[in-house]
Amino acid sequence: MSLLQNESSILSNQRVSIDAIDNADQICKLPNDMLLKILSELSTEEAIKTCVLSKRWMDTWKEMSNLCFDMRKTITINGIVLPQLLDRAAQLMTQVINNHNGHLETCIIFHYSNQLEDGTLASWIQSLTSVKHTKNLILANFNGHLVPTIEAYVLNLSPEIFYHPKLRTLSLYQYILQDAHAFNNCRNLKHLELLQIFAEIGVFNEVILSCPSLEVLILQIFFFNPSGHLKIDHKNLRILSISCNQIDSIEVRATRLDILSIENIPCESDKVVLEIPRLPFGRNYWVAGRLFPHTSINISCPPQNERSGMARPLNNVTLLASLSVSLDLKNPREVEVLRKMLAVWTEKMIELEISFKNNNSLGEEGESSKGGANNKLWEKAEPFPNADFRVDTIWMHNFSGSNKEQFALASRFVMQKTVMKKMMIKTSFDKKKKKRIEAAVAKLKELPKGNKELSIECF
């Protein structure tokens, strides 16, 4: 087998040429940090093979901070899965883990169900957490053309196996959880992804409750029995993405949540409780009687802030059918974050909800605007966010009617073919504000429309 071969056995066939290579190899004279940098650009398989290059390279791979094992590559020949290779592949992976020196930043394991049933996966996890002090652990269960039983998906682990002070991120793919014992006392976890995981609702509640320090929670889960109540109550949670099958009710209470992504919740709207003070949006997730996949983002606190330990927030959620954002047009960074988010939207968006933040110092008519950077932004010739972005309906809240930046943004959406069907602008109960808003809407209606069918209305 080519992957993860025992480096000592490889060396035994190469010793005659090692001394000659040593004399000619100038790369070996580089500092160890530079060699590890080179290895970091290789796959784990390729990095281990470098042990045959020279004495200098023999043990260098053992200090790598990241390992990735993919059994889908090691037990196939010409695309055909060979089950007889499973045990040997698992032995070699065990050998590599045991021979590695020091601690790991990240370890990724794509394995087959055999390692679940014979306890091999449990031993890997124990070594990776307790011995290697792995910070980020990703485990995925695959079966290819093999015919597994239900038992082949059961993640049967010892209590507290995922508890270790160094373990921060855990991602699990395609398992059955019969209980939550493996997550007992997991105050260490900051980031948890449960992808295509099957369990009873009570088990999911226990898992979530056992991880009180979570800042990121990604759920693509399936309930054996949809009768029950899923509860998520975390004061530290910053990102939450939910997709599940039928369920009676869901409750989310998260005072610091900045990103909420709902892909699928087959549940009556009155059975979903969302208490998320940092995402105070007016639109309902249930539009026209059905649930739209939706993402709400507190754009003023994007979790790419390294302080929160979440450097890639939008990679954790799916860009869905509708988006809600709260935006300060005086803040160039927030405007740029919105532009980048919309620019990567590959499909036509159904709804975009923008809630403008109240800021009395922001660009009122007759006043000098303090948002000079944004004035230059709206003067640019290219469309915002780009020429390809399309949305059926835009909803605007807190539209003042006299704010120049708000009017400029709305004008660009009207004229550049961005909005396909409707622009809906919320009016005010205050008579003076209502009059200003209606006057601004009248001006927007007079602009040349990118789409002739576009209607601009107050609500």
Side-chain angles (χ1 to χ4, degrees):
M1 296 177 59
S2 61
L3 177 63
L4 310 181
Q5 294 186 7
N6 187 324
E7 70 279 7
S8 60
S9 65
I10 299 175
L11 280 171
S12 64
N13 299 321
Q14 305 289 333
R15 297 203 179 276
V16 175
S17 59
I18 280 181
D19 291 335
I21 294 175
D22 277 343
N23 293 331
D25 188 2
Q26 298 300 313
I27 295 180
C28 290
K29 298 178 181 179
L30 294 173
N32 214 46
D33 288 347
M34 290 295 295
L35 296 184
L36 289 173
K37 176 64 176 176
I38 294 172
L39 292 183
S40 70
E41 302 297 323
L42 305 177
S43 68
T44 298
E45 173 186 356
E46 293 169 332
I48 293 174
K49 286 180 179 179
T50 62
C51 69
V52 304
L53 296 178
S54 68
K55 294 177 181 178
R56 179 76 166 83
W57 284 100
M58 187 186 306
D59 295 323
T60 303
W61 74 267
K62 297 179 181 180
E63 299 178 34
M64 293 174 59
S65 59
N66 301 293
L67 295 178
C68 178
F69 306 101
D70 192 345
M71 294 185 71
R72 294 172 300 176
K73 298 179 180 178
T74 62
I75 68 166
T76 59
I77 297 179
N78 296 326
I80 300 175
V81 176
L82 302 178
Q84 64 269 26
L85 298 180
L86 278 169
D87 289 343
R88 178 56 178 159
Q91 291 172 5
L92 292 171
M93 288 170 60
T94 301
Q95 204 168 25
V96 170
I97 293 172
N98 291 341
N99 288 344
H100 180 272
N101 294 328
H103 298 159
L104 285 169
E105 187 74 21
T106 300
C107 185
I108 302 172
I109 297 179
F110 298 139
H111 69 90
Y112 285 81
S113 295
N114 297 52
Q115 290 75 54
L116 279 169
E117 297 176 290
D118 64 12
T120 302
L121 180 64
S123 67
W124 289 339
I125 296 172
Q126 190 67 49
S127 177
L128 290 168
T129 56
S130 299
V131 179
K132 300 302 174 185
H133 294 182
T134 306
K135 293 182 180 179
N136 308 297
L137 181 59
I138 300 172
L139 305 173
N141 180 29
F142 294 93
N143 290 289
H145 299 295
L146 305 179
V147 182
T149 62
I150 293 296
E151 290 74 18
Y153 290 95
V154 175
L155 191 61
N156 189 12
L157 302 172
S158 59
E160 298 191 7
I161 196 168
F162 292 127
Y163 167 72
H164 191 277
K166 295 295 184 179
L167 184 62
R168 289 290 184 267
T169 299
L170 176 65
S171 179
L172 303 177
Y173 173 78
Q174 203 163 273
Y175 297 98
I176 293 174
L177 297 180
Q178 292 183 327
D179 55 57
H181 300 334
F183 293 86
N184 288 354
N185 197 35
C186 274
R187 297 185 181 89
N188 51 299
L189 284 181
K190 302 290 186 181
H191 183 135
L192 176 63
E193 298 184 14
L194 302 178
L195 309 176
Q196 295 191 29
I197 304 298
F198 292 76
E200 297 290 349
I201 294 176
V203 172
F204 284 119
N205 283 334
E206 284 187 51
V207 170
I208 295 169
L209 188 62
S210 298
C211 306
S213 301
L214 286 179
E215 295 177 357
V216 178
L217 178 60
I218 314 297
L219 299 176
Q220 295 177 10
I221 55 180
F222 300 91
F223 309 119
F224 288 129
N225 182 354
S227 177
H229 177 75
L230 182 67
K231 184 175 182 180
I232 301 171
D233 189 346
H234 276 56
K235 64 180 181 179
N236 295 316
L237 203 60
R238 300 289 301 279
I239 297 175
L240 174 61
S241 178
I242 306 177
S243 177
C244 64
N245 61 336
Q246 189 68 42
I247 188 173
D248 285 346
S249 58
I250 290 181
E251 176 183 350
V252 177
R253 303 179 191 276
T255 57
R256 299 186 64 199
L257 198 68
D258 289 319
I259 296 179
L260 173 64
S261 179
I262 295 179
E263 183 174 354
N264 187 41
I265 303 180
C267 181
E268 298 295 329
S269 59
D270 60 349
K271 297 298 181 64
V272 176
V273 176
L274 301 176
E275 291 192 7
I276 308 171
R278 296 177 74 155
L279 299 174
F281 301 111
R283 292 295 293 155
N284 197 315
Y285 290 97
W286 282 261
V287 180
R290 64 187 181 92
L291 175 68
F292 272 167
H294 187 95
T295 298
S296 295
I297 297 179
N298 177 11
I299 207 168
S300 64
C301 300
Q304 59 259 42
N305 186 345
E306 292 296 337
R307 175 176 53 84
S308 66
M310 295 175 283
R312 50 186 184 92
L314 292 179
N315 292 342
N316 298 306
V317 297
T318 305
L319 296 177
L320 302 171
S322 55
L323 172 70
S324 293
V325 296
S326 181
L327 181 65
D328 180 0
L329 285 176
K330 183 184 177 182
N331 189 323
R333 184 183 63 83
E334 289 192 19
V335 175
E336 180 61 14
V337 171
L338 175 63
R339 187 194 67 78
K340 288 181 178 179
M341 286 194 299
L342 299 183
V344 299
W345 224 279
T346 56
E347 302 293 333
K348 183 180 69 174
M349 189 184 294
I350 296 176
E351 290 196 349
L352 171 61
E353 179 190 18
I354 299 177
S355 180
F356 295 113
K357 297 176 183 177
N358 290 323
N359 193 324
N360 294 329
S361 65
L362 180 63
E364 301 293 336
E365 289 185 4
E367 299 178 7
S368 60
S369 171
K370 298 181 181 179
N374 292 326
N375 288 336
K376 293 181 181 179
L377 173 66
W378 307 131
E379 291 171 4
K380 292 180 180 179
E382 65 267 17
F384 180 88
N386 59 33
D388 299 321
F389 177 73
R390 296 291 183 269
V391 58
D392 278 344
T393 304
I394 283 185
W395 300 81
M396 293 187 175
H397 299 260
N398 296 328
F399 187 82
S400 74
S402 59
N403 181 288
K404 290 187 291 186
E405 280 81 2
Q406 293 176 7
F407 187 86
L409 177 59
S411 298
R412 291 174 73 88
F413 282 144
V414 169
M415 294 187 293
Q416 67 187 18
K417 296 184 179 181
T418 296
V419 188
M420 307 298 291
K421 296 180 180 179
K422 292 182 180 181
M423 175 176 285
M424 306 295 292
I425 298 178
K426 187 174 179 61
T427 188
S428 172
F429 291 109
D430 182 276
K431 291 183 179 181
K432 291 183 179 180
K433 290 182 180 179
K434 182 178 180 181
K435 187 175 180 179
R436 289 200 303 267
I437 294 171
E438 290 175 345
V441 170
K443 289 181 180 179
L444 290 172
K445 289 182 178 180
E446 294 174 359
L447 295 173
K449 297 177 181 177
N451 292 300
K452 294 182 179 179
E453 303 300 320
L454 174 63
S455 66
I456 304 170
E457 306 171 19
C458 289
F459 71 97

